[in-house]
Amino acid sequence: MEELIARLAAEREENERLRAERNEAIRKTIELRAEVDDLREELRLWQRGRRQPDEEDADGTEGGENGKAISADSAPPEDASVSDPLAALAIFVVGGSVAWQRKAAERFPYMRFVGNEKNFDDAPLHAADVLVINTNAVSHAATEKAKRAAKGAVLVLTSTNNLDIVHQKICGEILG
């Protein structure tokens, strides 16, 4: 009987230790989620061009030209924003054939293309002002995943490959 009482006490101690570890893990998870939310908001503002990452990098150097970090996903070139008012928006495109996406990327360098299958990274879509879905070549799962990720964005569905019509549709949805 004394042996069972000793085992019970040991099990209770182990249970308390595990409970404390679980509570600490939950606390850390909550802190990390808050940090991720802050980073997502900062990324959203940066992608919309409302904030430039001009702080010093971790190594103490300033990023990019004139202290502005430069990346493939950075703000569109200045000449594009002058010629097309859509260039100031965070426009993401899901769907369409690879050839169509290539042509559209050449014509609209400010648009970001995320693919047409469900395995694309949807994190950038949280910052979308406009989500364009070309229904000619896209999986249903990719469409639904994109819609969920780009909550609050203007949704433009198109089944045409004519880039002029796509541009008109986007303008019509935004202005209309």
Side-chain angles (χ1 to χ4, degrees):
M1 184 69 149
E2 289 179 19
E3 184 180 317
L4 288 175
I5 292 172
R7 259 183 54 202
L8 180 61
E11 293 295 326
R12 284 185 178 158
E13 285 179 20
E14 177 70 8
N15 192 17
E16 283 301 314
R17 184 187 64 77
L18 292 173
R19 193 174 282 144
E21 285 179 10
R22 183 199 65 201
N23 291 342
E24 180 64 18
I26 289 171
R27 186 189 63 73
K28 284 182 181 178
T29 300
I30 291 169
E31 287 176 3
L32 290 173
R33 282 184 183 160
E35 187 177 332
V36 167
D37 289 344
D38 291 344
L39 290 172
R40 279 188 178 143
E41 178 64 14
E42 187 175 328
L43 175 63
R44 184 184 66 77
L45 292 173
W46 178 74
Q47 286 179 326
R48 290 183 179 180
R50 295 187 185 133
R51 182 184 172 289
Q52 290 295 320
D54 52 6
E55 296 85 18
E56 288 186 355
D57 294 335
D59 62 358
T61 62
E62 292 184 8
E65 298 173 358
N66 300 325
K68 306 290 185 205
I70 297 175
S71 71
D73 291 333
S74 64
E78 288 180 30
D79 59 319
S81 63
V82 171
S83 63
D84 191 348
L86 296 181
L89 300 172
I91 301 175
F92 290 85
V93 181
V94 175
S97 68
V98 173
W100 178 81
Q101 287 183 0
R102 203 172 296 126
K103 285 189 336 189
E106 289 173 14
R107 172 91 179 269
F108 307 114
Y110 51 84
M111 290 185 183
R112 296 175 183 95
F113 297 83
V114 294
N116 58 9
E117 294 296 325
K118 68 179 179 182
N119 60 351
F120 67 87
D121 178 20
D122 67 349
L125 292 179
H126 297 291
D129 292 319
V130 179
L131 174 62
V132 178
I133 298 177
N134 185 332
T135 58
N136 279 341
V138 66
S139 71
H140 180 73
T143 299
E144 293 305 311
K145 180 178 179 182
K147 285 180 183 179
R148 280 191 308 272
K151 282 187 285 187
V154 174
L155 179 62
V156 178
L157 296 172
T158 185
S159 61
T160 183
N161 288 328
N162 184 315
L163 296 176
D164 291 326
I165 294 173
V166 171
H167 188 268
Q168 288 173 354
K169 276 187 151 187
I170 295 170
C171 290
E173 287 293 326
I174 292 171
L175 302 175

